[in-house]
Amino acid sequence: NLSGLQTQILRTLVTHKGRCTRDELTHAWGKKKAFEMSEETLDRNMSRLRKKLGGPNGEEHYLETIKGWGYA
């Protein structure tokens, strides 16, 4: 099961055709809560999403970190 934040992160990635900056994702939770979501919270949720969406044997195929930019 995905949390509400994880679901919104995935929606944002899909809406942006699979590529988002960290800033776009920290605002994924809505303007009211964007200031509450730190980069640490984003990193933690991306890690959890990778585990939940991982391929066979725990491989991580679906979410890629683009260093210095964001995620794809």
Side-chain angles (χ1 to χ4, degrees):
N1 293 338
L2 299 179
S3 72
L5 179 55
Q6 292 164 353
T7 300
Q8 191 59 37
I9 288 170
L10 284 177
R11 280 188 188 139
T12 303
L13 281 166
V14 169
T15 301
H16 289 84
K17 299 185 181 179
R19 295 180 62 112
C20 290
T21 64
R22 292 179 65 79
D23 188 53
E24 288 168 333
L25 288 171
T26 56
H27 288 84
W29 195 232
K31 292 181 180 183
K32 206 174 201 183
K33 295 191 177 199
F35 299 103
E36 296 172 15
M37 186 163 76
S38 66
E39 288 192 10
E40 184 178 296
T41 300
L42 175 61
D43 293 340
R44 188 171 41 251
N45 278 279
M46 291 301 287
S47 177
R48 290 176 182 158
L49 274 170
R50 283 188 174 110
K51 288 177 185 173
K52 290 177 181 181
L53 300 175
N57 303 316
E59 297 169 6
E60 300 169 0
H61 293 287
Y62 303 108
L63 298 173
E64 176 186 356
T65 299
I66 302 171
K67 192 172 182 174
W69 191 76
Y71 296 94

Short mmCIF file of all heavy atoms in Angstrom, two decimals:
data_model
loop_
_atom_site.label_atom_id
_atom_site.label_comp_id
_atom_site.label_asym_id
_atom_site.label_seq_id
_atom_site.Cartn_x
_atom_site.Cartn_y
_atom_site.Cartn_z
N ASN A 1 0.84 -1.19 0.00
CA ASN A 1 0.00 0.00 0.00
C ASN A 1 0.87 1.25 0.00
O ASN A 1 1.86 1.31 0.71
CB ASN A 1 -0.91 0.02 1.22
CG ASN A 1 -1.94 -1.09 1.18
OD1 ASN A 1 -2.26 -1.60 0.11
ND2 ASN A 1 -2.45 -1.45 2.32
N LEU A 2 0.45 2.23 -0.75
CA LEU A 2 1.18 3.49 -0.80
C LEU A 2 0.53 4.51 0.12
O LEU A 2 -0.69 4.54 0.24
CB LEU A 2 1.17 4.05 -2.23
CG LEU A 2 1.82 3.21 -3.32
CD1 LEU A 2 1.68 3.91 -4.66
CD2 LEU A 2 3.26 2.92 -3.00
N SER A 3 1.36 5.35 0.73
CA SER A 3 0.83 6.44 1.54
C SER A 3 0.27 7.51 0.61
O SER A 3 0.52 7.50 -0.60
CB SER A 3 1.93 7.02 2.43
OG SER A 3 2.85 7.76 1.63
N GLY A 4 -0.45 8.46 1.17
CA GLY A 4 -0.98 9.56 0.38
C GLY A 4 0.12 10.36 -0.29
O GLY A 4 0.00 10.74 -1.47
N LEU A 5 1.20 10.59 0.42
CA LEU A 5 2.32 11.35 -0.14
C LEU A 5 2.99 10.56 -1.27
O LEU A 5 3.30 11.12 -2.33
CB LEU A 5 3.33 11.68 0.95
CG LEU A 5 4.57 12.45 0.50
CD1 LEU A 5 4.20 13.73 -0.21
CD2 LEU A 5 5.47 12.73 1.69
N GLN A 6 3.18 9.27 -1.08
CA GLN A 6 3.80 8.45 -2.12
C GLN A 6 2.93 8.42 -3.37
O GLN A 6 3.43 8.52 -4.50
CB GLN A 6 4.06 7.05 -1.60
CG GLN A 6 5.13 7.02 -0.53
CD GLN A 6 5.14 5.74 0.27
OE1 GLN A 6 4.29 4.88 0.13
NE2 GLN A 6 6.14 5.62 1.13
N THR A 7 1.63 8.33 -3.19
CA THR A 7 0.70 8.36 -4.32
C THR A 7 0.81 9.68 -5.06
O THR A 7 0.86 9.72 -6.29
CB THR A 7 -0.75 8.14 -3.84
OG1 THR A 7 -0.82 6.87 -3.19
CG2 THR A 7 -1.74 8.20 -4.98
N GLN A 8 0.88 10.78 -4.33
CA GLN A 8 0.97 12.10 -4.96
C GLN A 8 2.31 12.27 -5.68
O GLN A 8 2.37 12.87 -6.74
CB GLN A 8 0.77 13.21 -3.92
CG GLN A 8 0.59 14.57 -4.54
CD GLN A 8 -0.60 14.65 -5.47
OE1 GLN A 8 -1.64 14.05 -5.23
NE2 GLN A 8 -0.45 15.36 -6.57
N ILE A 9 3.38 11.73 -5.12
CA ILE A 9 4.69 11.79 -5.78
C ILE A 9 4.61 11.06 -7.13
O ILE A 9 5.07 11.56 -8.15
CB ILE A 9 5.79 11.21 -4.88
CG1 ILE A 9 6.07 12.17 -3.72
CG2 ILE A 9 7.08 10.96 -5.69
CD1 ILE A 9 6.97 11.60 -2.65
N LEU A 10 4.02 9.87 -7.13
CA LEU A 10 3.87 9.11 -8.38
C LEU A 10 2.99 9.86 -9.38
O LEU A 10 3.30 9.91 -10.57
CB LEU A 10 3.30 7.73 -8.11
CG LEU A 10 4.27 6.73 -7.50
CD1 LEU A 10 3.56 5.41 -7.21
CD2 LEU A 10 5.46 6.49 -8.42
N ARG A 11 1.91 10.46 -8.91
CA ARG A 11 1.05 11.25 -9.81
C ARG A 11 1.82 12.39 -10.44
O ARG A 11 1.67 12.69 -11.62
CB ARG A 11 -0.15 11.81 -9.04
CG ARG A 11 -1.24 10.84 -8.83
CD ARG A 11 -2.47 11.53 -8.23
NE ARG A 11 -3.44 10.51 -7.87
CZ ARG A 11 -4.17 10.53 -6.78
NH1 ARG A 11 -4.07 11.54 -5.93
NH2 ARG A 11 -5.02 9.58 -6.53
N THR A 12 2.64 13.05 -9.64
CA THR A 12 3.44 14.16 -10.14
C THR A 12 4.42 13.68 -11.19
O THR A 12 4.59 14.31 -12.24
CB THR A 12 4.17 14.87 -8.98
OG1 THR A 12 3.19 15.30 -8.02
CG2 THR A 12 4.96 16.06 -9.47
N LEU A 13 5.08 12.56 -10.95
CA LEU A 13 6.01 12.00 -11.94
C LEU A 13 5.28 11.68 -13.25
O LEU A 13 5.77 11.99 -14.33
CB LEU A 13 6.69 10.75 -11.39
CG LEU A 13 7.84 11.00 -10.43
CD1 LEU A 13 8.21 9.72 -9.69
CD2 LEU A 13 9.05 11.53 -11.19
N VAL A 14 4.11 11.08 -13.15
CA VAL A 14 3.35 10.73 -14.35
C VAL A 14 2.90 11.99 -15.08
O VAL A 14 3.02 12.10 -16.30
CB VAL A 14 2.13 9.84 -13.99
CG1 VAL A 14 1.19 9.69 -15.16
CG2 VAL A 14 2.61 8.48 -13.49
N THR A 15 2.42 12.98 -14.35
CA THR A 15 1.97 14.24 -14.94
C THR A 15 3.10 14.96 -15.67
O THR A 15 2.88 15.58 -16.69
CB THR A 15 1.39 15.17 -13.84
OG1 THR A 15 0.32 14.49 -13.21
CG2 THR A 15 0.91 16.48 -14.41
N HIS A 16 4.31 14.83 -15.15
CA HIS A 16 5.48 15.49 -15.76
C HIS A 16 6.22 14.54 -16.71
O HIS A 16 7.41 14.71 -16.94
CB HIS A 16 6.42 16.01 -14.67
CG HIS A 16 5.88 17.18 -13.94
ND1 HIS A 16 5.02 17.06 -12.87
CD2 HIS A 16 6.04 18.51 -14.13
CE1 HIS A 16 4.69 18.27 -12.43
NE2 HIS A 16 5.29 19.16 -13.19
N LYS A 17 5.51 13.54 -17.20
CA LYS A 17 6.06 12.59 -18.18
C LYS A 17 7.31 11.89 -17.66
O LYS A 17 8.25 11.63 -18.39
CB LYS A 17 6.32 13.27 -19.50
CG LYS A 17 5.04 13.82 -20.10
CD LYS A 17 5.23 14.40 -21.46
CE LYS A 17 3.88 14.95 -21.92
NZ LYS A 17 3.92 15.57 -23.19
N GLY A 18 7.30 11.60 -16.35
CA GLY A 18 8.34 10.77 -15.78
C GLY A 18 9.60 11.46 -15.31
O GLY A 18 10.52 10.81 -14.84
N ARG A 19 9.68 12.79 -15.41
CA ARG A 19 10.88 13.50 -14.95
C ARG A 19 10.47 14.72 -14.14
O ARG A 19 9.72 15.57 -14.64
CB ARG A 19 11.72 13.94 -16.13
CG ARG A 19 12.30 12.78 -16.92
CD ARG A 19 13.13 13.28 -18.08
NE ARG A 19 14.26 14.06 -17.62
CZ ARG A 19 15.52 13.67 -17.71
NH1 ARG A 19 15.81 12.52 -18.25
NH2 ARG A 19 16.50 14.44 -17.29
N CYS A 20 10.96 14.80 -12.91
CA CYS A 20 10.62 15.92 -12.03
C CYS A 20 11.85 16.41 -11.30
O CYS A 20 12.69 15.62 -10.89
CB CYS A 20 9.60 15.49 -10.98
SG CYS A 20 7.98 15.17 -11.61
N THR A 21 11.89 17.71 -11.10
CA THR A 21 12.93 18.26 -10.24
C THR A 21 12.54 17.98 -8.79
O THR A 21 11.38 17.70 -8.48
CB THR A 21 13.08 19.77 -10.44
OG1 THR A 21 11.87 20.41 -10.03
CG2 THR A 21 13.40 20.13 -11.87
N ARG A 22 13.51 18.10 -7.90
CA ARG A 22 13.23 17.93 -6.48
C ARG A 22 12.22 18.98 -6.02
O ARG A 22 11.34 18.70 -5.23
CB ARG A 22 14.53 18.02 -5.67
CG ARG A 22 15.46 16.85 -5.94
CD ARG A 22 16.74 16.97 -5.16
NE ARG A 22 16.54 16.89 -3.73
CZ ARG A 22 16.36 15.77 -3.04
NH1 ARG A 22 16.34 14.62 -3.67
NH2 ARG A 22 16.19 15.79 -1.74
N ASP A 23 12.33 20.19 -6.56
CA ASP A 23 11.41 21.26 -6.17
C ASP A 23 9.98 20.93 -6.56
O ASP A 23 9.05 21.13 -5.79
CB ASP A 23 11.86 22.57 -6.81
CG ASP A 23 11.07 23.75 -6.29
OD1 ASP A 23 11.01 23.93 -5.05
OD2 ASP A 23 10.51 24.49 -7.11
N GLU A 24 9.79 20.39 -7.77
CA GLU A 24 8.44 20.01 -8.20
C GLU A 24 7.86 18.94 -7.29
O GLU A 24 6.68 18.96 -6.96
CB GLU A 24 8.47 19.50 -9.64
CG GLU A 24 8.71 20.58 -10.66
CD GLU A 24 9.03 20.06 -12.04
OE1 GLU A 24 9.56 18.94 -12.18
OE2 GLU A 24 8.75 20.80 -12.99
N LEU A 25 8.70 18.01 -6.86
CA LEU A 25 8.21 16.94 -6.00
C LEU A 25 7.97 17.39 -4.57
O LEU A 25 7.04 16.91 -3.92
CB LEU A 25 9.17 15.75 -6.03
CG LEU A 25 9.15 14.97 -7.34
CD1 LEU A 25 10.28 13.95 -7.37
CD2 LEU A 25 7.81 14.29 -7.54
N THR A 26 8.75 18.33 -4.07
CA THR A 26 8.49 18.81 -2.71
C THR A 26 7.19 19.61 -2.66
O THR A 26 6.59 19.74 -1.60
CB THR A 26 9.64 19.67 -2.14
OG1 THR A 26 9.90 20.76 -3.01
CG2 THR A 26 10.90 18.85 -1.92
N HIS A 27 6.74 20.09 -3.80
CA HIS A 27 5.47 20.80 -3.87
C HIS A 27 4.32 19.88 -4.27
O HIS A 27 3.19 20.33 -4.42
CB HIS A 27 5.57 21.99 -4.81
CG HIS A 27 6.39 23.10 -4.24
ND1 HIS A 27 7.76 23.12 -4.33
CD2 HIS A 27 6.04 24.18 -3.51
CE1 HIS A 27 8.21 24.19 -3.71
NE2 HIS A 27 7.20 24.84 -3.20
N ALA A 28 4.59 18.61 -4.44
CA ALA A 28 3.58 17.66 -4.88
C ALA A 28 2.45 17.49 -3.87
O ALA A 28 1.34 17.15 -4.22
CB ALA A 28 4.22 16.30 -5.15
N TRP A 29 2.74 17.72 -2.63
CA TRP A 29 1.77 17.49 -1.57
C TRP A 29 0.78 18.64 -1.46
O TRP A 29 -0.13 18.61 -0.66
CB TRP A 29 2.51 17.27 -0.26
CG TRP A 29 1.73 16.69 0.85
CD1 TRP A 29 1.63 17.19 2.12
CD2 TRP A 29 0.93 15.49 0.87
NE1 TRP A 29 0.85 16.40 2.89
CE2 TRP A 29 0.39 15.34 2.15
CE3 TRP A 29 0.60 14.55 -0.09
CZ2 TRP A 29 -0.45 14.29 2.50
CZ3 TRP A 29 -0.23 13.50 0.25
CH2 TRP A 29 -0.74 13.38 1.54
N GLY A 30 0.96 19.67 -2.26
CA GLY A 30 0.04 20.81 -2.25
C GLY A 30 0.71 22.02 -1.64
O GLY A 30 1.60 21.91 -0.82
N LYS A 31 0.28 23.17 -2.06
CA LYS A 31 0.92 24.42 -1.61
C LYS A 31 0.89 24.57 -0.10
O LYS A 31 1.84 25.04 0.50
CB LYS A 31 0.25 25.62 -2.27
CG LYS A 31 0.50 25.68 -3.75
CD LYS A 31 -0.16 26.89 -4.36
CE LYS A 31 0.12 26.90 -5.85
NZ LYS A 31 -0.41 28.07 -6.50
N LYS A 32 -0.19 24.16 0.52
CA LYS A 32 -0.31 24.33 1.96
C LYS A 32 0.72 23.51 2.72
O LYS A 32 1.27 23.94 3.71
CB LYS A 32 -1.72 23.92 2.39
CG LYS A 32 -2.22 24.57 3.62
CD LYS A 32 -3.67 24.19 3.84
CE LYS A 32 -4.33 25.19 4.75
NZ LYS A 32 -5.70 24.83 5.04
N LYS A 33 0.99 22.30 2.24
CA LYS A 33 1.90 21.40 2.94
C LYS A 33 3.30 21.39 2.34
O LYS A 33 4.17 20.74 2.88
CB LYS A 33 1.33 19.99 2.94
CG LYS A 33 0.05 19.87 3.72
CD LYS A 33 -0.31 18.44 3.91
CE LYS A 33 -1.57 18.37 4.76
NZ LYS A 33 -1.76 17.08 5.36
N ALA A 34 3.54 22.09 1.24
CA ALA A 34 4.83 22.05 0.57
C ALA A 34 5.95 22.47 1.52
O ALA A 34 7.04 21.91 1.47
CB ALA A 34 4.84 22.94 -0.66
N PHE A 35 5.67 23.43 2.38
CA PHE A 35 6.70 23.92 3.27
C PHE A 35 7.01 22.92 4.38
O PHE A 35 8.05 22.98 4.98
CB PHE A 35 6.29 25.28 3.85
CG PHE A 35 6.11 26.30 2.78
CD1 PHE A 35 4.85 26.68 2.36
CD2 PHE A 35 7.20 26.87 2.16
CE1 PHE A 35 4.67 27.61 1.35
CE2 PHE A 35 7.05 27.81 1.15
CZ PHE A 35 5.78 28.18 0.74
N GLU A 36 6.08 21.99 4.62
CA GLU A 36 6.29 20.98 5.65
C GLU A 36 7.10 19.80 5.12
O GLU A 36 7.67 19.06 5.89
CB GLU A 36 4.95 20.47 6.17
CG GLU A 36 4.13 21.54 6.86
CD GLU A 36 2.75 21.07 7.20
OE1 GLU A 36 2.50 19.85 7.18
OE2 GLU A 36 1.91 21.93 7.49
N MET A 37 7.15 19.60 3.81
CA MET A 37 7.88 18.47 3.26
C MET A 37 9.31 18.89 2.96
O MET A 37 9.58 19.60 2.00
CB MET A 37 7.22 17.92 1.99
CG MET A 37 7.93 16.66 1.53
SD MET A 37 7.03 15.64 0.35
CE MET A 37 7.22 16.54 -1.14
N SER A 38 10.21 18.41 3.76
CA SER A 38 11.61 18.73 3.57
C SER A 38 12.20 17.79 2.51
O SER A 38 11.59 16.80 2.12
CB SER A 38 12.37 18.55 4.88
OG SER A 38 12.36 17.18 5.26
N GLU A 39 13.41 18.09 2.07
CA GLU A 39 14.08 17.21 1.13
C GLU A 39 14.34 15.85 1.77
O GLU A 39 14.32 14.83 1.09
CB GLU A 39 15.37 17.84 0.63
CG GLU A 39 15.10 19.00 -0.31
CD GLU A 39 16.32 19.46 -1.05
OE1 GLU A 39 17.36 18.77 -1.00
OE2 GLU A 39 16.24 20.51 -1.70
N GLU A 40 14.57 15.84 3.07
CA GLU A 40 14.77 14.58 3.79
C GLU A 40 13.50 13.71 3.72
O GLU A 40 13.58 12.50 3.50
CB GLU A 40 15.12 14.87 5.25
CG GLU A 40 15.44 13.63 6.06
CD GLU A 40 15.83 13.99 7.46
OE1 GLU A 40 16.87 14.65 7.64
OE2 GLU A 40 15.09 13.61 8.39
N THR A 41 12.35 14.33 3.87
CA THR A 41 11.08 13.61 3.77
C THR A 41 10.91 13.06 2.35
O THR A 41 10.49 11.92 2.16
CB THR A 41 9.90 14.53 4.13
OG1 THR A 41 10.07 14.98 5.47
CG2 THR A 41 8.56 13.82 3.99
N LEU A 42 11.25 13.86 1.35
CA LEU A 42 11.17 13.41 -0.04
C LEU A 42 12.10 12.21 -0.26
O LEU A 42 11.69 11.20 -0.81
CB LEU A 42 11.53 14.55 -1.00
CG LEU A 42 11.60 14.17 -2.48
CD1 LEU A 42 10.27 13.65 -2.99
CD2 LEU A 42 12.07 15.36 -3.29
N ASP A 43 13.34 12.32 0.20
CA ASP A 43 14.30 11.23 0.04
C ASP A 43 13.81 9.94 0.70
O ASP A 43 13.91 8.87 0.12
CB ASP A 43 15.66 11.61 0.63
CG ASP A 43 16.34 12.72 -0.15
OD1 ASP A 43 15.99 12.94 -1.32
OD2 ASP A 43 17.24 13.36 0.43
N ARG A 44 13.28 10.08 1.89
CA ARG A 44 12.78 8.91 2.63
C ARG A 44 11.61 8.26 1.88
O ARG A 44 11.55 7.04 1.75
CB ARG A 44 12.37 9.34 4.04
CG ARG A 44 12.01 8.21 4.96
CD ARG A 44 11.82 8.63 6.41
NE ARG A 44 11.12 9.90 6.62
CZ ARG A 44 11.69 11.02 7.04
NH1 ARG A 44 12.97 11.07 7.33
NH2 ARG A 44 10.97 12.12 7.21
N ASN A 45 10.71 9.06 1.36
CA ASN A 45 9.56 8.52 0.63
C ASN A 45 9.97 7.94 -0.72
O ASN A 45 9.40 6.94 -1.16
CB ASN A 45 8.47 9.58 0.48
CG ASN A 45 7.63 9.66 1.72
OD1 ASN A 45 6.73 8.85 1.90
ND2 ASN A 45 7.93 10.60 2.60
N MET A 46 10.94 8.52 -1.39
CA MET A 46 11.44 7.94 -2.64
C MET A 46 12.08 6.59 -2.36
O MET A 46 11.89 5.64 -3.12
CB MET A 46 12.43 8.88 -3.32
CG MET A 46 11.78 10.14 -3.87
SD MET A 46 10.49 9.85 -5.10
CE MET A 46 11.45 9.34 -6.49
N SER A 47 12.81 6.47 -1.28
CA SER A 47 13.41 5.20 -0.90
C SER A 47 12.34 4.14 -0.65
O SER A 47 12.45 2.99 -1.11
CB SER A 47 14.28 5.39 0.35
OG SER A 47 14.81 4.17 0.78
N ARG A 48 11.31 4.51 0.05
CA ARG A 48 10.21 3.59 0.32
C ARG A 48 9.48 3.19 -0.95
O ARG A 48 9.09 2.03 -1.13
CB ARG A 48 9.24 4.20 1.33
CG ARG A 48 9.85 4.30 2.71
CD ARG A 48 8.93 5.00 3.67
NE ARG A 48 9.58 5.12 4.97
CZ ARG A 48 9.24 6.01 5.88
NH1 ARG A 48 8.24 6.86 5.66
NH2 ARG A 48 9.88 6.07 7.03
N LEU A 49 9.29 4.16 -1.86
CA LEU A 49 8.65 3.86 -3.13
C LEU A 49 9.49 2.87 -3.94
O LEU A 49 8.96 1.96 -4.57
CB LEU A 49 8.45 5.13 -3.95
CG LEU A 49 7.19 5.92 -3.66
CD1 LEU A 49 7.23 7.27 -4.37
CD2 LEU A 49 5.96 5.15 -4.09
N ARG A 50 10.79 3.07 -3.93
CA ARG A 50 11.67 2.14 -4.66
C ARG A 50 11.51 0.72 -4.15
O ARG A 50 11.45 -0.23 -4.92
CB ARG A 50 13.13 2.58 -4.52
CG ARG A 50 13.49 3.74 -5.38
CD ARG A 50 14.98 3.99 -5.33
NE ARG A 50 15.33 5.02 -6.27
CZ ARG A 50 15.71 6.24 -5.95
NH1 ARG A 50 15.82 6.58 -4.68
NH2 ARG A 50 16.00 7.11 -6.88
N LYS A 51 11.43 0.58 -2.84
CA LYS A 51 11.25 -0.75 -2.25
C LYS A 51 9.90 -1.34 -2.63
O LYS A 51 9.80 -2.52 -2.96
CB LYS A 51 11.39 -0.68 -0.73
CG LYS A 51 12.81 -0.45 -0.29
CD LYS A 51 12.90 -0.32 1.21
CE LYS A 51 14.33 0.03 1.61
NZ LYS A 51 14.46 0.32 3.02
N LYS A 52 8.86 -0.52 -2.62
CA LYS A 52 7.52 -1.00 -2.93
C LYS A 52 7.35 -1.31 -4.42
O LYS A 52 6.59 -2.20 -4.79
CB LYS A 52 6.47 0.02 -2.49
CG LYS A 52 6.35 0.14 -0.99
CD LYS A 52 5.35 1.20 -0.58
CE LYS A 52 5.26 1.31 0.93
NZ LYS A 52 4.28 2.33 1.35
N LEU A 53 8.03 -0.57 -5.29
CA LEU A 53 7.87 -0.74 -6.72
C LEU A 53 9.00 -1.54 -7.35
O LEU A 53 9.02 -1.72 -8.57
CB LEU A 53 7.80 0.63 -7.42
CG LEU A 53 6.67 1.55 -6.99
CD1 LEU A 53 6.82 2.90 -7.68
CD2 LEU A 53 5.33 0.94 -7.29
N GLY A 54 9.94 -1.99 -6.53
CA GLY A 54 11.11 -2.69 -7.04
C GLY A 54 10.77 -3.93 -7.83
O GLY A 54 9.71 -4.53 -7.69
N GLY A 55 11.70 -4.30 -8.69
CA GLY A 55 11.53 -5.49 -9.50
C GLY A 55 11.87 -6.75 -8.72
O GLY A 55 12.00 -6.74 -7.50
N PRO A 56 12.04 -7.85 -9.43
CA PRO A 56 12.37 -9.12 -8.80
C PRO A 56 13.66 -9.02 -8.00
O PRO A 56 14.56 -8.27 -8.35
CB PRO A 56 12.55 -10.07 -9.99
CG PRO A 56 11.98 -9.38 -11.16
CD PRO A 56 11.97 -7.91 -10.87
N ASN A 57 13.72 -9.76 -6.92
CA ASN A 57 14.91 -9.79 -6.05
C ASN A 57 15.26 -8.43 -5.47
O ASN A 57 16.41 -8.14 -5.19
CB ASN A 57 16.12 -10.36 -6.79
CG ASN A 57 15.85 -11.74 -7.33
OD1 ASN A 57 15.27 -12.58 -6.65
ND2 ASN A 57 16.24 -11.98 -8.56
N GLY A 58 14.27 -7.55 -5.32
CA GLY A 58 14.48 -6.24 -4.72
C GLY A 58 15.19 -5.25 -5.61
O GLY A 58 15.64 -4.21 -5.16
N GLU A 59 15.33 -5.56 -6.90
CA GLU A 59 15.98 -4.64 -7.82
C GLU A 59 15.14 -3.38 -7.96
O GLU A 59 13.92 -3.43 -7.92
CB GLU A 59 16.15 -5.30 -9.19
CG GLU A 59 17.04 -6.52 -9.15
CD GLU A 59 16.98 -7.30 -10.45
OE1 GLU A 59 16.34 -6.84 -11.41
OE2 GLU A 59 17.58 -8.38 -10.47
N GLU A 60 15.80 -2.27 -8.16
CA GLU A 60 15.10 -0.99 -8.29
C GLU A 60 15.16 -0.54 -9.74
O GLU A 60 16.16 -0.04 -10.20
CB GLU A 60 15.73 0.05 -7.37
CG GLU A 60 15.65 -0.37 -5.92
CD GLU A 60 16.49 0.52 -5.02
OE1 GLU A 60 17.13 1.46 -5.52
OE2 GLU A 60 16.51 0.26 -3.83
N HIS A 61 14.07 -0.74 -10.47
CA HIS A 61 14.05 -0.40 -11.89
C HIS A 61 13.27 0.85 -12.22
O HIS A 61 13.48 1.44 -13.26
CB HIS A 61 13.42 -1.54 -12.69
CG HIS A 61 14.21 -2.79 -12.70
ND1 HIS A 61 15.37 -2.91 -13.43
CD2 HIS A 61 14.05 -3.95 -12.05
CE1 HIS A 61 15.87 -4.12 -13.26
NE2 HIS A 61 15.09 -4.77 -12.42
N TYR A 62 12.35 1.23 -11.39
CA TYR A 62 11.34 2.19 -11.80
C TYR A 62 11.62 3.64 -11.46
O TYR A 62 11.10 4.52 -12.14
CB TYR A 62 9.98 1.79 -11.23
CG TYR A 62 9.59 0.39 -11.65
CD1 TYR A 62 9.60 -0.65 -10.74
CD2 TYR A 62 9.25 0.11 -12.96
CE1 TYR A 62 9.25 -1.94 -11.13
CE2 TYR A 62 8.91 -1.16 -13.36
CZ TYR A 62 8.92 -2.19 -12.43
OH TYR A 62 8.59 -3.46 -12.81
N LEU A 63 12.40 3.91 -10.45
CA LEU A 63 12.67 5.29 -10.06
C LEU A 63 14.18 5.54 -10.06
O LEU A 63 14.92 4.89 -9.35
CB LEU A 63 12.11 5.58 -8.67
CG LEU A 63 10.60 5.45 -8.53
CD1 LEU A 63 10.19 5.59 -7.07
CD2 LEU A 63 9.89 6.48 -9.38
N GLU A 64 14.59 6.50 -10.86
CA GLU A 64 16.00 6.81 -11.01
C GLU A 64 16.29 8.20 -10.44
O GLU A 64 15.53 9.14 -10.69
CB GLU A 64 16.38 6.76 -12.49
CG GLU A 64 17.79 7.15 -12.77
CD GLU A 64 18.07 7.22 -14.27
OE1 GLU A 64 17.17 6.89 -15.07
OE2 GLU A 64 19.19 7.64 -14.62
N THR A 65 17.38 8.33 -9.71
CA THR A 65 17.81 9.62 -9.23
C THR A 65 18.72 10.24 -10.28
O THR A 65 19.65 9.60 -10.77
CB THR A 65 18.59 9.48 -7.90
OG1 THR A 65 17.74 8.90 -6.93
CG2 THR A 65 19.09 10.84 -7.40
N ILE A 66 18.45 11.49 -10.62
CA ILE A 66 19.30 12.23 -11.53
C ILE A 66 20.05 13.25 -10.67
O ILE A 66 19.48 14.25 -10.24
CB ILE A 66 18.49 12.93 -12.64
CG1 ILE A 66 17.69 11.88 -13.40
CG2 ILE A 66 19.42 13.71 -13.57
CD1 ILE A 66 16.70 12.46 -14.38
N LYS A 67 21.29 12.95 -10.39
CA LYS A 67 22.08 13.75 -9.45
C LYS A 67 22.08 15.23 -9.82
O LYS A 67 22.30 15.62 -10.95
CB LYS A 67 23.52 13.22 -9.42
CG LYS A 67 24.34 13.79 -8.30
CD LYS A 67 25.66 13.11 -8.19
CE LYS A 67 26.42 13.68 -7.01
NZ LYS A 67 27.64 12.95 -6.77
N GLY A 68 21.78 16.05 -8.81
CA GLY A 68 21.78 17.49 -8.98
C GLY A 68 20.53 18.04 -9.68
O GLY A 68 20.43 19.23 -9.91
N TRP A 69 19.58 17.16 -9.99
CA TRP A 69 18.39 17.62 -10.69
C TRP A 69 17.10 17.12 -10.06
O TRP A 69 16.27 17.92 -9.64
CB TRP A 69 18.45 17.20 -12.16
CG TRP A 69 17.40 17.87 -12.97
CD1 TRP A 69 17.41 19.15 -13.40
CD2 TRP A 69 16.17 17.30 -13.40
NE1 TRP A 69 16.25 19.41 -14.10
CE2 TRP A 69 15.48 18.29 -14.11
CE3 TRP A 69 15.58 16.05 -13.25
CZ2 TRP A 69 14.23 18.07 -14.68
CZ3 TRP A 69 14.34 15.84 -13.82
CH2 TRP A 69 13.69 16.85 -14.53
N GLY A 70 16.90 15.82 -10.03
CA GLY A 70 15.64 15.30 -9.49
C GLY A 70 15.50 13.81 -9.71
O GLY A 70 16.44 13.06 -9.49
N TYR A 71 14.36 13.41 -10.23
CA TYR A 71 14.05 12.00 -10.38
C TYR A 71 13.40 11.72 -11.73
O TYR A 71 12.76 12.58 -12.31
CB TYR A 71 13.08 11.53 -9.28
CG TYR A 71 13.68 11.63 -7.90
CD1 TYR A 71 13.46 12.75 -7.12
CD2 TYR A 71 14.45 10.60 -7.39
CE1 TYR A 71 14.00 12.84 -5.85
CE2 TYR A 71 15.00 10.68 -6.12
CZ TYR A 71 14.76 11.80 -5.36
OH TYR A 71 15.31 11.89 -4.10
N ALA A 72 13.56 10.49 -12.18
CA ALA A 72 12.93 10.04 -13.42
C ALA A 72 12.38 8.65 -13.21
O ALA A 72 12.81 7.93 -12.35
CB ALA A 72 13.92 10.03 -14.57
#
